[in-house]
Amino acid sequence: MTKLIDKLDHPGAREICAAHKNKPDALLEVLHGVQAADGYLSDAALRTVADALNISRAEIHGVASFYHDYHRKAPAKHIVRLCRAEACQAVGSEELAPKVEEMFNGNDDVAVTTVYCLGNCALGPAAMVDAELHARVTPEKLKEIVARLGDA
Amino acid sequence: MADRVKIFAPCDAAALSVGADDVAAAIAAEAAKRNIEIDLVRTGTRGMLWLEPLIEVETSKGRVAYGPVEPGDVASLFNASFHKGGEHKLGHGAAKEIPYFAKQERLTFARCGVIDPLSLKDYEAHGGIAGLGKALKMDRADIVAEVTESGLRGRGGAGFPTGIKWKTAAAQTADQKYICCNADEGDSGTFADRILIEGDPFCLIEGMVIAALAVGASEGYIYLRSEYPHAAATLRKAITLWEEAGLSGRNDDGSPRFKLHLRMGAGAYICGEESSMLESLEGKRGQVKVKPPIPAISGLFGKPTIVNNVLTLAAVPEIIAKGAAHYKDFGMGRSRGTQAFQLAGDIARGGLVEKAFGVTLRELIEDFGGGTRSGKPVRTVQAGGPLGAYVPASQFDIAMDYEALAEAGAMLGHGGIVVFNDSVDMAKQARFAMEFCEIESCGKCTPCRIGAVRGKETIDKIINGENRTENLAILEDLCDLMVDGSLCAMGGLTPMPVRSAVRHFPEDFGG
């Protein structure tokens, strides 16, 4: 008998689950793994994870939607995460943020998002561009950093 | 070869954020060009973050420091023979004599910025593993007694006596116990956990192994926030090296007797709360649970579990190695030992200051921090993270200890100190405290979930001048409700920054 889940099976997600011995407590790690490979959590991946870990899709939806890190849609090619927590506010992150948003407005390859604390609080405003941490950022500096990534 | 020069370059995330990798590469390239043989050692940071990238050179007179170094400075540094300790405009002389560093009491962070974080040989040569060696020869009860006697209290913010927690877990009979390290350092203005993990990860691991010996645990988890990818990479390698060296013991099948797992968070601030963190470790939504039962009796997977902050666990090897009395000798009143203070925000010399309890805020901000980076006057500092009070300049002579701060209506939290200059709008900061609670609330209890939204709306009305007196009364009432009715510190402490802002800066609320 063909189950619906067979049609939507996501072999990559199944492999990641297996690497975590299909243990339900590894759900966050599994979702991190899937997202690292695909960039986001697709319906097929979540169905497969539910099947492999033997937990309900509702529970997985609950977890995927609770944590800020998980995305259900394909993200932009590059992500600029601006810290807007108190220590960065104290050095102008609130004035910086709209300028940065404006600068990348219309550029579909770059998404500007907010993060609360990158642990670089003595050298703010801080930003993470993809996986790279930056200090004392200005709009000009961010523009340069993103341009250096090349394909943006 | 005797002529080989040892040069130290940081690989701490903060140092990388100001170009440490580029500087290290430039040094290697320039040395090769000049046929100078060097050993380039990557270290953590000493915590003098405004000087990063801080490059050190080993000389006959000890390690000499230069910083902040940019790749463009490297040629001129070689021209000045910095590799022999030569003078240069970026030179600071002996690294450990730099006043900011020399005036500290480095116990937990003694090795940070000094050693290669992933060299067990370095670690042992600088006093590591001594605590574990001693603990292995001690009775379980004696380890717990030593930790109790040291006066060590939870460094995550709650300040609960560590020895009492351990004693409770040790007294439980169970087939499985866990040691969980809370490395979900989400408070803005704090980065000490990150610096320790990136600069001296074995110290944390050693502390966890000693905790495991003390309570009889065979498995441990480190819950690290996902915003710290550099720390994660270092820790992952450190755990492997530690276990491969057999330092967590070996079962008959060769597996470590104390198995340590690294688990990554997923961007939820609330997972720094212990019950929420345990839920998250079980693969669930990070929702707060009602206590009791306390984790030491029924924690992860329903088993007795020690949940300690990174800095609590990392203090343990030193306490066991040198004895409780040595640690207890630092500090004042019921706050014993040292605290890692983190100077952040608008601060000229931001970074990590490990100091015995009792240092004043003024000493930290002025003597260590050098005032604001912007040059504007300091108006307030927020001490203890997003849930901590805004302290006005008139209270800067408070001694930094758990009780003295509580008496002043503030808290130490995880030791973060965020400096704001006189351009700060305190009504906006109060509003942000409520907004942050709205964004990060786990949603389990109503005072926090709804209270934060109503709080933000009420502050908006006050800012817009609508029925100011009535709305300030409503805000006060709402704060009472959040304090009394919230399940955990998120809702229970959000009123602290709000109330302190209203009390100390009424002029910003139209008063």
Side-chain angles (χ1 to χ4, degrees), chain B residues 406-482:
Chain B
E407 210 171 287
M411 67 171 197
L412 182 60
H414 189 48
I417 293 165
V418 177
V419 178
F420 289 82
N421 64 42
D422 63 354
S423 69
V424 65
D425 177 343
M426 296 309 293
K428 262 196 197 162
Q429 295 311 118
R431 183 189 187 279
F432 177 74
M434 287 292 189
E435 187 185 18
F436 185 69
C437 183
E438 178 191 345
I439 296 167
E440 298 295 340
S441 172
C442 80
K444 174 105 171 184
C445 73
T446 322
C448 174
R449 185 184 68 245
I450 310 278
V453 183
R454 292 289 171 262
K456 190 182 80 177
E457 292 168 357
T458 308
I459 296 173
D460 274 337
K461 287 179 190 159
I462 296 167
I463 290 172
N464 293 330
E466 292 172 40
N467 305 326
R468 197 186 148 267
T469 315
E470 289 87 339
N471 278 316
L472 276 170
I474 289 172
L475 183 64
E476 190 58 28
D477 192 43
L478 180 68
C479 284
D480 271 339
L481 180 101
M482 289 176 74

Side-chain angles (χ1 to χ4, degrees), chain A:
Chain A
M1 192 179 76
T2 313
K3 290 185 293 180
L4 183 58
I5 196 133
D6 292 336
K7 289 186 192 162
L8 282 168
D9 198 63
H10 187 297
R14 202 166 281 283
E15 236 169 73
I16 291 166
C17 291
H20 288 91
K21 302 191 180 122
N22 293 324
K23 279 164 70 175
D25 60 273
L27 179 57
L28 268 75
E29 293 292 306
V30 166
L31 296 183
H32 278 314
V34 171
Q35 190 160 286
D38 293 0
Y40 73 111
L41 304 173
S42 63
D43 287 348
L46 292 193
R47 278 167 189 263
T48 306
V49 172
D51 184 52
L53 303 187
N54 196 23
I55 42 184
S56 74
R57 279 169 52 203
E59 264 177 281
I60 294 198
H61 173 76
V63 169
S65 58
F66 181 87
Y67 295 95
H68 301 307
D69 278 3
Y70 300 128
H71 315 295
R72 295 300 318 278
K73 286 186 190 138
K77 208 182 279 174
H78 300 294
I79 300 179
V80 176
R81 297 202 292 167
L82 272 184
C83 177
R84 295 178 68 175
E86 288 89 341
C88 286
Q89 289 170 11
V91 284
S93 67
E94 291 316 281
E95 294 73 40
L96 175 73
K99 290 181 196 159
V100 174
E101 276 160 11
E102 171 67 34
M103 198 166 70
F104 294 111
N105 195 9
N107 184 343
D108 292 339
D109 286 341
V110 181
V112 179
T113 62
T114 294
V115 61
Y116 293 106
C117 199
L118 293 166
N120 204 15
C121 320
L123 304 173
M128 193 135 232
V129 181
D130 296 340
E132 238 179 62
L133 182 63
H134 295 277
R136 300 185 195 115
V137 298
T138 58
E140 297 72 38
K141 200 167 162 182
L142 276 176
K143 197 173 187 176
E144 214 176 281
I145 292 163
V146 172
R148 232 189 301 138
L149 297 171
D151 46 3

Side-chain angles (χ1 to χ4, degrees), chain B residues 184-196:
Chain B
D184 195 43
E185 185 177 50
D187 286 359
S188 174
T190 65
F191 42 80
D193 293 354
R194 183 184 62 66
I195 285 183
L196 186 104

